[in-house]
Amino acid sequence: MFTNPLINKIYSLSNWIVKICYVNLLWGIFMLVGLIVFGFFPATVALFTVCRKWVLGDRDISIFSTFCSAYKKEFIPSNLLGALLLFIGLVLYADLLMIQQTTIIVLHYLYVPLLLICGLYLSTILSFFPMYVHYDTKGFQLIKNAFLIGFIAPISFVKHIIGLGIISYLFITFPGSVLLFGGCIPALYMMWVANSAFTQYERKRAIQQQT
């Protein structure tokens, strides 16, 4: 490291930019390895695995080996759960279209409740990847827990929406940055928000168990 504090900060910032770009590149490459359709979910799980270690303070990990190991280990499980989530999303979308286009007046009253369910589905999606890499829970129980977190920590959902909205705005304003940071920056932010919610929940649970 350099003796000049300013140069140290510039060096540290540059180092992090390179790391983020590198992980983002791996994310894109490994999605292509899985032909995108089968590569998206395991590549995204691997991306969140790296981001989780960074958020927890493990900054000197071997990025490639961590990413590659998570990708291979979770290739089939993540695709199975991802397919289930996509199916649920398609069903909700089809229901929304049906209610919007139907002439049956009674069904129109289901529109608002269905929108609330869609909001909970979105909350589940936002919590799915952070929870996948943070806990050992897998299978349908993972989706159930990701769904319940919307009730347990609604503030984290609001933080997700606001933060990702700002990030999306910056990406739209500077479209070239999507290629460099489009996957890793949102994942880092989502993991940071989720980790804060997980920590608060675990503290409350520990207090409840002591009383």
Side-chain angles (χ1 to χ4, degrees):
M1 298 296 288
F2 303 97
T3 55
N4 190 311
L6 179 60
I7 296 178
N8 269 335
K9 290 180 180 179
I10 294 174
Y11 173 80
S12 179
L13 178 62
S14 302
N15 188 41
W16 272 110
I17 291 174
V18 171
K19 284 183 177 181
I20 290 171
C21 290
Y22 178 50
V23 175
N24 206 69
L25 178 64
L26 289 178
W27 181 58
I29 291 174
F30 277 78
M31 272 199 293
L32 292 175
V33 169
L35 304 177
I36 298 179
V37 174
F38 300 107
F40 174 78
F41 283 100
T44 305
V45 167
L47 170 67
F48 273 84
T49 299
V50 174
C51 289
R52 175 182 176 271
K53 289 186 177 294
W54 285 349
V55 168
L56 295 179
D58 193 356
R59 311 291 170 82
D60 298 321
I61 60 169
S62 173
I63 294 174
F64 182 79
S65 62
T66 301
F67 194 104
C68 191
S69 176
Y71 183 88
K72 290 189 292 185
K73 179 183 177 183
E74 303 299 340
F75 187 87
I76 293 177
S78 64
N79 270 312
L80 291 174
L81 287 176
L84 178 58
L85 282 175
L86 284 176
F87 175 75
I88 294 171
L90 288 174
V91 169
L92 290 174
Y93 180 67
D95 288 342
L96 280 174
L97 288 181
M98 182 192 70
I99 291 176
Q100 288 174 348
Q101 297 175 5
T102 186
T103 56
I104 303 174
I105 303 300
V106 176
L107 292 180
H108 289 175
Y109 291 102
L110 298 176
Y111 189 72
V112 172
L114 187 57
L115 282 179
L116 293 175
I117 294 174
C118 288
L120 289 172
Y121 173 76
L122 177 59
S123 175
T124 302
I125 295 295
L126 292 174
S127 301
F128 174 75
F129 288 109
M131 191 167 283
Y132 193 112
V133 301
H134 193 75
Y135 294 105
D136 291 331
T137 308
K138 294 294 184 288
F140 184 74
Q141 185 65 36
L142 174 64
I143 296 179
K144 177 183 175 183
N145 291 345
F147 174 79
L148 291 175
I149 199 71
F151 295 99
I152 298 171
I155 295 178
S156 67
F157 175 68
V158 175
K159 288 181 179 178
H160 271 129
I161 297 299
I162 294 175
L164 291 176
I166 294 172
I167 292 171
S168 299
Y169 173 77
L170 291 174
F171 283 157
I172 293 171
T173 305
F174 306 99
S177 62
V178 175
L179 293 175
L180 299 175
F181 313 113
C184 194
I185 291 295
L188 264 175
Y189 177 76
M190 290 168 67
M191 195 67 239
W192 175 74
V193 172
N195 183 64
S196 177
F198 297 156
T199 301
Q200 290 179 5
Y201 170 71
E202 288 164 6
R203 285 176 181 171
K204 289 180 181 178
R205 188 175 180 183
I207 292 172
Q208 289 175 353
Q209 289 177 347
Q210 291 175 358
T211 57

